[in-house]
């Protein structure tokens, strides 16, 4: 049976939050729409979920594929080598490494190509926004990699929101950046 490892992106494989970094870079470009969304979020007029959904929708409609490819390339350069080494130690020829991230799939899917892994970020399914956070990660994982067909070997994440996900795996690690 094939084995899988699941790796969280933000705060784990990357030493920062890739979504926040992208927002900050876009705010520097004086994007009025993103400034408005950010103000609404800071004032707590919109939820974090809605904020991510609206930003993701905006980028998907207003940025080119090359924009996401360049951003994924920057993320690839910033990967935490310690985490990558841990994952490599847990990987053999029978293992598929999968990134699951709450960050937008627009660049997550390009990053997994650079790593030669599999993965998914938050995405739109028609008009519905699937925020791959906490239990949504589990739903996605078991529907795409069912337990009867895969051995859940290793999971690593920095967030307690992934405790239930990590509990599904034979081995797991709550990453604190200092392991």
């Amino acid at each position: 049976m094939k084995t899988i490892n699941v790796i969280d992106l933000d705060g784990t494989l990357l030493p920062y939050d890739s979504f926040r970094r992208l927002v900050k870079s876009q705010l520097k470009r004086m994007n009025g729409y993103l400034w408005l969304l950010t103000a609404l979020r800071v004032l707590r007029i919109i939820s974090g979920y809605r904020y991510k959904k609206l930003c993701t929708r905006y980028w998907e409609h207003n940025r080119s594929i090359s924009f996401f490819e360049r951003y994924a390339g920057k993320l690839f350069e910033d990967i935490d080598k310690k985490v990558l080494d841990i994952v490599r130690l847990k990987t053999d020829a029978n293992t598929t490494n999968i990134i699951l991230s709450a960050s937008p799939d627009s660049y997550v899917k390009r990053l997994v190509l650079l790593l030669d892994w599999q993965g998914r970020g938050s995405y739109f399914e028609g008009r519905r926004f699937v925020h791959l956070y906490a239990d949504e990660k589990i739903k996605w994982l078991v529907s795409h990699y069912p337990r009867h067909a895969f051995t859940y070997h290793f999971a690593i994440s920095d967030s307690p929101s992934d405790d239930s996900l990590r509990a599904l795996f034979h081995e797991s690690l709550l990453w604190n950046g200092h392991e």
Side-chain angles (χ1 to χ4, degrees):
M1 201 177 323
K2 291 218 32 116
T3 61
I4 61 170
N5 295 333
V6 167
I7 302 94
D8 178 49
L9 181 61
D10 300 309
T12 307
L13 191 59
L14 292 173
Y16 53 79
D17 184 308
S18 64
F19 176 77
R20 280 193 189 126
R21 184 162 282 193
L22 183 55
V23 167
K24 286 180 182 179
S25 75
Q26 294 296 289
L27 290 174
K28 287 179 185 175
R29 299 188 191 288
M30 301 307 289
N31 182 300
Y33 181 72
L34 289 178
W35 273 102
L36 173 63
L37 286 180
T38 302
L40 293 173
R41 178 63 192 133
V42 168
L43 295 170
R44 301 209 183 278
I45 293 171
I46 61 173
S47 67
Y49 166 85
R50 185 151 177 78
Y51 179 67
K52 189 167 280 184
K53 174 183 176 179
L54 292 171
C55 287
T56 301
R57 172 81 70 200
Y58 173 79
W59 289 323
E60 287 183 358
H61 285 66
N62 295 285
R63 296 293 181 259
S64 65
I65 291 171
S66 63
F67 169 84
F68 297 115
E69 288 171 343
R70 283 190 308 275
Y71 190 59
K74 290 177 188 174
L75 299 178
F76 183 76
E77 292 172 6
D78 292 343
I79 287 174
D80 187 327
K81 303 304 183 241
K82 289 181 196 172
V83 175
L84 201 54
D85 287 344
I86 291 168
V87 172
R88 284 182 179 144
L89 287 172
K90 306 292 183 183
T91 303
D92 62 22
N94 197 39
T95 305
T96 300
N97 290 317
I98 305 163
I99 291 178
L100 289 182
S101 177
S103 287
D105 195 51
S106 339
Y107 60 82
V108 171
K109 66 184 171 188
R110 286 160 178 85
L111 177 61
V112 299
L113 288 174
L114 293 171
L115 289 161
D116 196 27
W117 290 0
Q118 299 294 312
R120 194 70 197 249
S122 295
Y123 62 99
F124 284 93
E125 195 170 67
R127 296 180 54 83
R128 179 177 165 258
F129 183 63
V130 179
H131 188 209
L132 281 185
Y133 178 79
D135 290 344
E136 283 297 325
K137 286 183 178 182
I138 295 171
K139 288 179 192 173
W140 187 91
L141 181 67
V142 298
S143 71
H144 290 83
Y145 296 88
R147 293 193 75 168
H148 68 272
F150 294 89
T151 300
Y152 288 24
H153 178 63
F154 176 71
I156 183 170
S157 171
D158 70 309
S159 178
S161 69
D162 288 331
D163 285 352
S164 296
L165 174 70
R166 284 192 315 275
L168 298 174
F169 287 79
H170 176 69
E171 292 181 59
S172 69
L173 181 60
L174 178 60
W175 178 250
N176 66 15
H178 305 293
E179 301 299 317

